[in-house]
Amino acid sequence: MTVHPAVQPDPQSAPPTSAGADGASRDFSLNAPRRARELAGLAAGERVDLLVVGLGATGAGVALDAAARGLSVAAIDAHDLAFGTSRWSSKLIHGGLRYLASGQVGIARECAVERGALLERIAPHLVHAQPFVIPLTPLTGRAQAAVAWAGLRSGDLLRVAARTSRAALPPPRRLSAVETGQLVPGLRRYGLRGGLLSWDGQLSDDARLVTAVARTAAGYGARVLTRARAVELTGSGAVVRDETTGERLRIRARAVVNAAGVWAGSLVPGVRLRPSRGTHLVLRAEALGMGRQPGGAGVHIPIPGATGRFALVLPQDDGRVYVGLTDEPVDGEVPDVPAAPETDVGFLLDVLDSALDVPVRRSDVVGAFAGLRPLLESDGSTADLSRRHAVRTSPDGVVTVVGGKLTTYRRMAEDAVDAAVAAAGLTAGPCRTARLPLVGAAPAAVLAGLDAPRRLVQRYGTEAPAVQALAAAEPALAAPVVPGYPVTGAELAWAVRHEGALDEADLLDRRTRLGLVAAERAAAVAAAREVLSAVPGAVRPGR
């Protein structure tokens, strides 16, 4: 197959590093020509050791874990990387404090260990320490404040137990009323006694984490195939429909892992889930009286009438603020893209109104998103369901992994691969992913020394200079695609050439997050189509 110049690597656009953690030369790029080649090989009858269905965080993690152990892997998704729940999170990599408070010590420690690995080894370019403030207001009694402080101190002990350095996550401390107001402009000052400051992990972008995991898996030889829907699934493979052409093929595999999240039960009988909806609002920082503060503190706002539950205010470096989140059970058919109901929007606005000095109106909400957590069915409210993951093997040998948290995707993947190896009797090496850096990762000192804007480094890591060089080499790609928002045409082109984006939705809704604000998405569509028009294999509008 001839590779079109638009996707042919060149000195300006090729990834700056092509060596894996083991020093071997690796190709981390995903694009339409590679997808076509690998689909053709599977259609010709190639048999893989492991087929993974679902390319959210867990499925991509399974593909990477298995490929890094030396297994041959095909990983498919009916839509795109991070199409489902993985792109609708709070973008937190948290240490499990909530689970510690409810007595789930094992889950809390697992979260703390995985958080430390992501911060310090696996993805330090994508995960950074984020300060959070609990304001001590008249809604937070002194007894409740004492409990919260004890919880934060216990969370720091979890950090110690997980061997995460204080350089990565500073210890909690008490704040005066003045310090609290300085860290969180916009808070109501009346009755403010002070605050409690803590630190946790935050992702620059959850969908970009999934993209990095999937590309790293591809670098280790996994066939990562989007727009490939499993229409029949057994322990020996799947019948798959190429959603870009409608053609069907059979993928033969020695073992199969079902990592389809909230859709897992539709593929394997007997998997019973109780999805829970988490809704977030998207606002401008100015609407909250916070101004644009790169690296600003997040806020835990106590939910009136609910002991120990908080809403989150999460400032982003692009001037947006995410506010969430709800925890409501969802019945009925699972939609491809969940909607944020007005009841959730109103609830979150009421919580904001309880703590902020500036009234936030419905017209200030520029976007909203909702994600469905794939929780195991049990009695009780979804807010109380365990976030522990489960790995189950069906009678015909399909391994299903469900539950869990974005923070623990790597551990979930490890357990799923262990189960698949055991069920199929595969020969595989030990798990390597606890210390395996993702594409773009490097020590903090290396990242700080890169000749590229900080925003690009936090999204692309060591590849940031190459993205910057692409803009320099092709001046038409240097400008922002939407006035006032930092994403450039070079980032869209990079996503098509190296990150597997096939259509405008991939570009605007997942490789970038322009799609979270409808007006900005509409303004960027023309730029996305122009980038795609030069690429063979891209999915055209209306197909």
Side-chain angles (χ1 to χ4, degrees):
M1 177 180 292
T2 301
V3 180
H4 191 280
V7 293
Q8 180 69 42
D10 59 65
Q12 283 79 26
S13 65
T17 57
S18 58
D22 54 4
S25 178
R26 301 190 179 279
D27 179 9
F28 297 110
S29 291
L30 295 175
N31 48 49
R34 178 171 181 169
R35 175 184 180 277
R37 289 195 303 270
E38 292 180 342
L39 268 176
L42 293 168
E46 292 182 22
R47 188 183 188 193
V48 295
D49 293 321
L50 181 67
L51 170 64
V52 186
V53 181
L55 280 167
T58 303
V62 170
L64 173 56
D65 185 295
R69 298 192 198 198
L71 298 176
S72 59
V73 177
I76 62 174
D77 195 283
H79 299 286
D80 182 31
L81 306 177
F83 180 84
T85 304
S86 294
R87 63 168 159 149
W88 303 128
S89 76
S90 295
K91 291 146 189 72
L92 291 179
I93 300 296
H94 66 80
L97 184 58
R98 174 179 176 180
Y99 312 122
L100 190 66
S102 61
Q104 300 179 73
V105 178
I107 300 177
R109 188 178 186 282
E110 183 175 272
C111 286
V113 168
E114 296 302 320
R115 176 186 63 181
L118 283 159
L119 272 167
E120 297 187 305
R121 298 184 297 277
I122 296 173
H125 57 313
L126 298 174
V127 184
H128 61 274
Q130 171 69 37
F132 284 94
V133 173
I134 301 176
L136 302 180
T137 72
L139 292 174
T140 310
R142 296 189 182 278
Q144 187 178 359
V147 171
W149 176 245
L152 296 182
R153 294 293 301 272
S154 299
D156 195 48
L157 292 178
L158 274 178
R159 174 197 60 78
V160 174
R163 299 184 179 180
T164 305
S165 71
R166 276 200 166 171
L169 285 173
R173 68 181 181 90
R174 299 178 185 271
L175 300 171
S176 68
V178 172
E179 289 175 311
T180 302
Q182 290 174 338
L183 277 172
V184 189
L187 273 179
R188 186 173 298 137
R189 299 298 198 272
Y190 178 77
L192 184 64
R193 307 192 308 273
L196 305 177
L197 175 67
S198 62
W199 296 78
D200 217 335
Q202 185 175 20
L203 276 164
S204 55
D205 188 330
D206 46 8
R208 293 208 63 77
L209 174 68
V210 179
T211 299
V213 175
R215 291 182 61 214
T216 307
Y220 280 80
R223 300 165 175 87
V224 176
L225 305 167
T226 60
R227 305 301 195 285
R229 182 184 297 273
V231 293
E232 295 177 22
L233 189 67
T234 69
S236 60
V239 175
V240 174
R241 182 173 67 237
D242 182 347
E243 295 290 80
T244 69
T245 65
E247 296 178 359
R248 294 193 176 204
L249 66 145
R250 178 174 293 278
I251 297 180
R252 301 168 59 243
R254 296 176 177 85
V256 175
V257 170
N258 171 19
V262 289
W263 297 280
S266 66
L267 293 171
V268 177
V271 175
R272 300 179 65 186
L273 301 177
R274 190 181 183 194
S276 165
R277 183 183 65 245
T279 295
H280 292 78
L281 310 182
V282 184
L283 300 109
R284 309 289 187 195
E286 294 84 352
L288 304 180
M290 299 176 69
R292 284 181 177 251
Q293 293 188 96
V299 190
H300 292 279
I301 301 178
I303 295 177
T307 303
R309 290 191 62 198
F310 299 85
L312 300 176
V313 178
L314 302 162
Q316 309 297 306
D317 282 353
D318 57 12
R320 296 173 178 175
V321 177
Y322 304 146
V323 177
L325 84 157
T326 61
D327 202 330
E328 298 294 331
V330 175
D331 297 316
E333 188 174 347
V334 176
D336 282 348
V337 180
E342 283 298 316
T343 51
D344 287 5
V345 174
F347 168 78
L348 291 170
L349 288 176
D350 287 344
V351 173
L352 282 177
D353 189 56
S354 73
L356 298 185
D357 201 35
V358 178
V360 183
R361 300 176 175 84
R362 180 62 178 86
S363 58
D364 294 319
V365 178
V366 296
F369 59 90
L372 302 181
R373 308 177 188 91
L375 305 182
L376 289 169
E377 185 176 60
S378 67
D379 295 330
S381 73
T382 55
D384 297 326
L385 292 183
S386 173
R387 299 307 202 251
R388 181 176 294 282
H389 64 273
V391 178
R392 297 175 176 174
T393 304
S394 68
D396 70 344
V398 177
V399 173
T400 297
V401 55
V402 291
K405 297 286 293 180
L406 178 65
T407 302
T408 59
Y409 82 89
R410 190 211 62 81
R411 179 57 187 272
M412 294 170 65
E414 178 182 349
D415 290 350
V417 175
D418 284 345
V421 167
L426 301 176
T427 300
C431 176
R432 300 173 54 195
T433 53
R435 307 195 67 85
L436 183 65
L438 301 182
V439 61
V446 174
L447 294 173
L450 293 173
D451 185 17
R454 176 175 176 269
R455 188 190 74 84
L456 290 183
V457 173
Q458 288 189 335
R459 296 176 64 79
Y460 300 93
T462 56
E463 294 185 323
V467 178
Q468 185 83 337
L470 179 59
E474 302 182 40
L477 300 176
V481 297
V482 174
Y485 195 75
V487 172
T488 66
E491 293 173 69
L492 301 186
W494 184 269
V496 173
R497 301 178 192 190
H498 301 293
E499 295 179 342
L502 296 179
D503 70 7
E504 63 196 50
D506 295 355
L507 290 173
L508 303 180
D509 299 333
R510 290 169 289 276
R511 304 307 182 275
T512 70
R513 305 315 291 272
L514 283 157
L516 292 178
V517 177
E520 292 176 349
R521 189 189 196 283
V525 166
R529 290 178 177 174
E530 185 174 352
V531 168
L532 289 162
S533 66
V535 180
V539 180
R540 309 297 177 216
R543 175 178 288 182

